[in-house]
Amino acid sequence: MSNFTEIDVSRLDDNFFTRIGKEWMLITAGNKDSFNTMTASWGGTGFLWNKNISITFIRPSRYTYNFVDHNEYYTLSFFGGKMKEELTFCGRNSGRDVDKIKETGLVPVFDEKAPYFEQADLVLVCKKLYKQPMNRESFVDKELAESIYPDGAYHHTFIGEIVKVLKKA
């Protein structure tokens, strides 16, 4: 079945600036009957509310948004800089219109909480704790808001507790 080993989150020594910003990740939520995934290059990890957390940003217009919004758990799958073509495809195409799994050859693994992908080398399983829509008024740097969101289509921020870490064996 799966070639992953569960490790304690305290053993993570990954550089998430690189993992997220340069190598990208897939945010995935749902179950075996219905799920979706999307590529993200914004986000982070940290410690908040006495918990190890992930922070993800998803626009409500994205198909994956509803899956994350309506499920208690989501996963972040990392591929170590590999599979850029597949991740590009998952970022440019909507699961409303195309079967991303069929088109990319990604192999879903169905955890009891949320799906992730066999090709990943690291997976964070996250329990949703908090959701907050971004808005122009909250930006201290108004020029940043205008340059990133000229159409006002702001992301929503999701904070999740990292409840399980899976590393490729």
Side-chain angles (χ1 to χ4, degrees), residues 137-148:
E137 296 75 33
S138 296
F139 276 86
V140 174
D141 183 341
K142 302 299 184 200
E143 288 180 23
L144 180 61
E146 293 303 319
S147 67
I148 301 294

Side-chain angles (χ1 to χ4, degrees), residues 85-96:
E85 186 176 317
E86 291 84 351
L87 271 68
T88 298
F89 183 89
C90 289
R92 289 189 177 154
N93 295 278
S94 173
R96 286 183 192 100

